[in-house]
Amino acid sequence: MNSEEKKFFQNLCEICVSDYQVLNSSDLVSALISQVSRLKGIDVPFIRGILYVQIKNRRRNYAHSFNIYKGQVIDAAIYGHALLNKNFQELFPLYVVGNEPEHIEYSVISEVYLDAQFKFNEDFLRNIIYKIDNYRATNIKRFNEIEDSRKKNLFYYK
């Protein structure tokens, strides 16, 4: 992944995390990333898999959806696990683009093809691309369940 592609995915993930609910939304966020990327002419498959997190001397696993681009993980919904696991929320980053932290590992189970994905309105997807192209980096901080629930829900953008 070159620096221009990485910046595109970082901006996309930041928009997802700052504007939309991430708690229990990994499927929707992954579908959004896949469909926005497809509209830009980039193939970024939506993947169902397992997220492994090393916590002290134990390895916990979570069913999780994410995206893959050129063998690197793009995950804008990982922070949803921090909201559910407050005792070790500092182990979950806000999002992952490229190299994941050492204590986190992803395992692929299957790809979710476009026919089986939640489909977003093309105007909505184009609006996201416009936001990415004109995005100015903001300082996104960690948030809690209440703040997340005040964000837009992706189910409304069909």
Side-chain angles (χ1 to χ4, degrees):
M1 172 179 332
N2 65 36
S3 61
E4 185 178 312
E5 293 167 335
K6 187 167 187 165
K7 190 66 178 163
F8 170 78
F9 291 123
Q10 285 174 331
N11 291 348
L12 176 54
C13 287
E14 286 184 17
I15 287 169
C16 288
V17 169
S18 63
D19 292 357
Y20 306 107
Q21 293 177 4
V22 295
L23 187 61
N24 297 321
S25 297
S26 66
D27 281 3
L28 288 172
V29 172
S30 295
L32 178 66
I33 290 170
S34 178
Q35 292 171 36
V36 165
S37 300
R38 180 179 293 257
L39 206 56
K40 283 281 284 188
I42 306 169
D43 185 28
V44 181
F46 168 175
I47 304 294
R48 282 215 175 95
I50 307 279
L51 172 68
Y52 296 99
V53 181
Q54 187 72 32
I55 301 169
K56 296 184 182 177
N57 294 329
R58 297 184 62 214
R59 186 172 162 187
R60 292 203 177 181
N61 56 331
Y62 303 93
H64 190 62
S65 296
F66 52 95
N67 301 84
I68 299 271
Y69 178 64
K70 294 185 177 177
Q72 296 188 349
V73 172
I74 299 165
D75 185 357
I78 190 170
Y79 197 70
H81 294 292
L83 298 175
L84 293 172
N85 299 285
K86 295 194 186 315
N87 291 340
F88 41 88
Q89 68 182 10
E90 69 282 349
L91 295 177
F92 295 95
L94 288 169
Y95 61 87
V96 174
V97 175
N99 299 330
E100 61 267 7
E102 290 181 17
H103 63 281
I104 293 176
E105 184 180 326
Y106 290 86
S107 177
V108 173
I109 293 176
S110 66
E111 179 179 350
V112 179
Y113 297 105
L114 185 60
D115 295 347
Q117 293 179 23
F118 182 88
K119 309 248 184 347
F120 292 98
N121 180 302
E122 190 171 325
D123 291 334
F124 173 69
L125 297 173
R126 289 193 188 283
N127 187 40
I128 297 277
I129 291 171
Y130 177 79
K131 285 182 184 179
I132 293 167
D133 292 341
N134 297 297
Y135 186 74
R136 295 213 193 295
T138 58
N139 186 14
I140 300 173
K141 60 181 179 156
R142 293 183 176 269
F143 49 90
N144 60 35
E145 289 176 63
I146 294 170
E147 292 166 340
D148 189 54
S149 68
R150 292 182 181 142
K151 296 176 187 174
K152 300 171 196 164
N153 189 320
L154 285 171
F155 275 119
Y156 298 122
Y157 297 102
K158 186 170 185 179

